[in-house]
Amino acid sequence: MTDERAGRASGGDVDPVTLEILRNHLESVAEEMGHVLITGAYSPNIKERQDCSTALFDADGRMVAQAEHIPVHLGAMPDAVDVVLDENPRPGDVFVVNDPFEGGTHLPDVTLVSTIAPEGDVLGFAVSRAHHADVGGSAPGSMPPGAREIYEEGLRLPAVRLVDGGDLNEGVLDVLLANVRTPDERRADLQAQRAANERAEERVGELLDDHGPLLLDAFDAVVDYSRDRMEAEIAELPDGEYDARDVLEGDGVTDEDIPVEATVTVDGSALDVDFAGAADQVAGNLNAPLSVAKSAVYFVVRAVTDPEIPPNHGCYEPVSVSAPEGSLLNPAPPAAVVGGNVETSQRVTDVTLAALADAIPDRVPAGSQGTMNNLIVGDRDGEFTYYETIAGGFGARPDKDGMDGVQVGMTNTLNTPVEALETEYPMRVETYALRPSSGGDGEYRGGLGLERAVTLQTDATVSLLTERRRTAPAGVDGGEDGATGENLVDGERVPSKASVDVSAGSTVRIRTPGGGGHGDPEDRSADAREADRRDGKVDE
């Protein structure tokens, strides 16, 4: 902590009404950043799917406000800001970073960290993180299922100044654009991120004009407020040690199951999650940096406590996360990691929720689809790269059915609308529908998975990073498991992790998992079963 901040009150001088006003102002700035980024982006992955996140940090690298965007982005952002702090950031600087071993998540998630210095001194940071549809590597889309080293996954950027004191570093930008397949798209998306961060500095400057030093006190106050509320929520959980175990279905190099184990310890107002039982880091790309594991845990803790607690650094202070160095959840370079961010994070979410279900069964749903169903399509000439995560079934809850066809766990994106997909890419959507009977039966039925099929109108490379193709989302308390997913190319089943070169006219069909059921199916009401038949949720 700087001497200046140490000398200020820790938020105690901000009255509750002013605190609430300023908290909402700060969250509004983060949301406006996201709006600027989404409306200014060029790629469908950002402007349509909204695969991006924005947040505000104080001068010490504490998150003080975030937009409600992508959990796996937001929980890992503080590590990226910590890395930037080591680079002596100055007014007018914008750092770019995507290195998973230096504050990133996986290489396609490119983060811009800009200093906020409306009056000349750095008082905070604006941060935007967006999934870029290609950052180089051995396969279009930069998510090669068989990668064994991070070098195969694309351009790796430590925290480096993209803008130095207000001046664009053309050399850094040239290196970046020379290593990607769609440089014009990447340039435009980076410009949108810069615009989002600049909007944050503008808005924070206006708040500083209106409130003066009280704004900086509010940074402390919102963090203190969230920490106090989170500690109170954790204190209401039963003390104890709770365990759960699940598996990942191979790492893209082998098909052997990979164990993921969590031990959750609740002790008063503190919660610890230990992944000592996780597998050693693997040869394939399902390794997940510790920042990704922390993101998943933070998401779960917020989900099972009061989700209305303002999301900032204070929420995370009572929560600790650990994993052995060199393990699946804390790998050493040059491990491949691109699938860890999207798939392993989902399994971390699943096991943490399953462990807490022993403590608070009335707050935890049955197993959800547990995968992002990553589909990446592109051509070797760099004409296009398409990336999509496909929704599936949400697990049944203790008192209601699961949701159909939604993004679950660590992703919170939209879909690519059919019209946008067919306009932007040489692809035609053949099928986009719910999968009847894919949700597990129970007193409350699991949500339905989806079926999405696209026909390619050009030769291309298709990459798939998926899970729950042989291990079903679990039902609980007598509920049945949800249906497993399935990947097909021209009617032939392909593995959960695969890269396939296909010819024009080929059809890729993805069937996503359904959610598990909750409670004995015999207890499902006749009215609910009639509604299932009427709404087409079950096969006749």
Side-chain angles (χ1 to χ4, degrees):
M1 180 178 290
T2 64
D3 292 340
E4 178 188 359
R5 289 185 65 79
R8 287 207 311 269
S10 62
D13 294 335
V14 183
D15 67 85
V17 173
T18 302
L19 172 61
E20 187 67 8
I21 291 170
L22 289 174
R23 179 183 71 80
N24 280 279
H25 274 312
L26 294 171
E27 291 180 4
S28 177
V29 173
E31 293 284 355
E32 187 175 352
M33 288 176 66
H35 179 74
V36 171
L37 173 51
I38 290 163
T39 56
Y42 184 82
S43 68
N45 191 55
I46 300 174
K47 71 180 180 182
E48 300 286 356
R49 292 188 59 246
Q50 301 183 14
D51 194 349
C52 59
S53 301
T54 52
L56 292 176
F57 287 72
D58 70 7
D60 294 324
R62 300 183 305 172
M63 181 187 288
V64 296
Q66 68 176 53
E68 292 292 350
H69 287 154
I70 313 300
V72 76
H73 287 175
L74 293 162
M77 268 188 186
D79 287 352
V81 179
D82 284 345
V83 171
V84 167
L85 285 172
D86 292 337
E87 299 299 320
N88 187 30
R90 301 182 296 269
D93 286 351
V94 180
F95 288 81
V96 59
V97 59
N98 74 342
D99 187 346
F101 302 105
E102 293 290 339
T105 49
H106 64 177
L107 297 181
D109 286 343
V110 178
T111 304
L112 294 193
V113 181
S114 304
T115 55
I116 297 176
E119 295 184 349
D121 294 324
V122 176
L123 58 86
F125 300 91
V127 184
S128 58
R129 175 167 284 171
H131 184 115
H132 287 247
D134 187 274
V135 290
S138 63
S142 309
M143 299 182 70
R148 291 173 176 263
E149 294 181 313
I150 195 169
Y151 311 116
E152 300 174 64
E153 297 177 336
L155 179 65
R156 182 176 166 196
L157 295 164
V160 60
R161 283 178 172 85
L162 179 64
V163 178
D164 188 349
D167 296 324
L168 179 65
N169 189 331
E170 297 282 0
V172 169
L173 184 61
D174 288 347
V175 168
L176 194 159
L177 297 179
N179 283 276
V180 301
R181 292 178 176 84
T182 48
D184 290 341
E185 190 175 87
R186 301 287 66 73
R187 182 193 300 273
D189 287 348
L190 286 169
Q191 288 173 338
Q193 286 185 256
R194 286 185 61 192
N197 290 11
E198 289 167 1
R199 180 63 60 86
E201 183 171 47
E202 178 185 341
R203 291 291 183 252
V204 171
E206 293 170 357
L207 291 175
L208 194 62
D209 289 342
D210 290 342
H211 300 282
L214 187 63
L215 177 65
L216 304 184
D217 288 333
F219 289 174
D220 293 319
V222 295
V223 170
D224 293 343
Y225 176 69
S226 292
R227 182 187 61 248
D228 291 346
R229 286 189 60 181
M230 181 58 75
E231 287 180 341
E233 287 283 321
I234 294 173
E236 292 295 318
L237 304 179
D239 282 357
E241 188 174 285
Y242 309 97
D243 302 295
R245 182 184 186 277
D246 207 331
V247 297
L248 292 160
E249 301 168 344
D251 64 353
V253 175
T254 75
D255 286 332
E256 296 180 6
D257 285 345
I258 304 164
V260 181
E261 299 181 10
T263 299
V264 178
T265 302
V266 180
D267 184 6
S269 60
L271 186 147
D272 174 76
V273 182
D274 184 2
F275 293 104
D280 292 340
Q281 70 182 66
V282 295
N285 69 14
L286 288 192
N287 302 292
L290 186 60
S291 60
V292 169
K294 290 192 292 186
S295 290
V297 171
Y298 296 157
F299 166 78
V300 169
V301 173
R302 289 204 65 216
V304 301
T305 56
D306 183 354
E308 297 301 317
I309 298 174
N312 59 49
H313 182 82
C315 287
Y316 311 142
E317 284 189 347
V319 180
S320 56
V321 182
S322 60
E325 293 184 3
S327 70
L328 179 75
L329 301 180
N330 192 5
V337 299
V338 72
N341 181 67
V342 289
E343 295 302 294
T344 307
S345 66
Q346 295 283 68
R347 199 62 68 251
V348 172
T349 300
D350 289 347
V351 296
T352 307
L353 277 169
L356 283 168
D358 290 339
I360 44 173
D362 58 330
R363 300 192 201 177
V364 177
S368 296
Q369 70 161 341
T371 176
M372 295 192 196
N373 301 296
N374 301 271
L375 171 62
I376 311 100
V377 184
D379 68 332
R380 296 284 178 181
D381 296 329
E383 294 297 323
F384 77 100
T385 51
Y386 157 77
Y387 173 62
E388 182 97 64
T389 60
I390 305 175
F394 190 94
R397 291 155 287 184
D399 58 354
K400 63 180 69 174
D401 290 350
M403 294 177 284
D404 303 325
V406 294
Q407 301 281 2
V408 303
M410 297 309 291
T411 182
N412 187 33
T413 62
L414 303 181
N415 69 346
T416 304
V418 172
E419 300 84 353
L421 190 155
E422 293 185 340
T423 299
E424 296 280 355
Y425 304 111
M427 302 164 68
R428 185 177 67 250
V429 177
E430 306 289 352
T431 305
Y432 193 27
L434 295 172
R435 293 178 65 196
S437 298
S438 56
D441 200 0
E443 181 180 5
Y444 299 102
R445 179 177 292 280
L448 301 182
L450 291 175
E451 179 169 340
R452 189 169 173 101
V454 295
T455 295
L456 307 179
Q457 296 172 324
T458 185
D459 297 348
T461 298
V462 175
S463 297
L464 294 160
L465 274 171
T466 62
E467 278 285 321
R468 298 294 192 209
R469 268 47 185 173
R470 62 175 184 251
T471 306
V476 298
D477 197 24
E480 296 180 0
D481 293 347
T484 55
E486 188 176 30
N487 307 330
L488 301 104
V489 176
D490 291 332
E492 296 293 325
R493 185 173 295 185
V494 297
S496 61
K497 288 96 181 162
S499 187
V500 184
D501 290 327
V502 300
S503 301
S506 293
T507 298
V508 180
R509 188 176 302 273
I510 308 297
R511 296 180 178 133
T512 70
H518 199 296
D520 190 336
E522 294 295 326
D523 294 332
R524 188 163 180 81
S525 70
D527 287 346
R529 293 206 177 277
E530 176 58 31
D532 292 341
R533 289 188 290 271
R534 183 185 66 243
D535 297 339
K537 291 194 173 185
V538 294
D539 292 311
E540 294 292 345

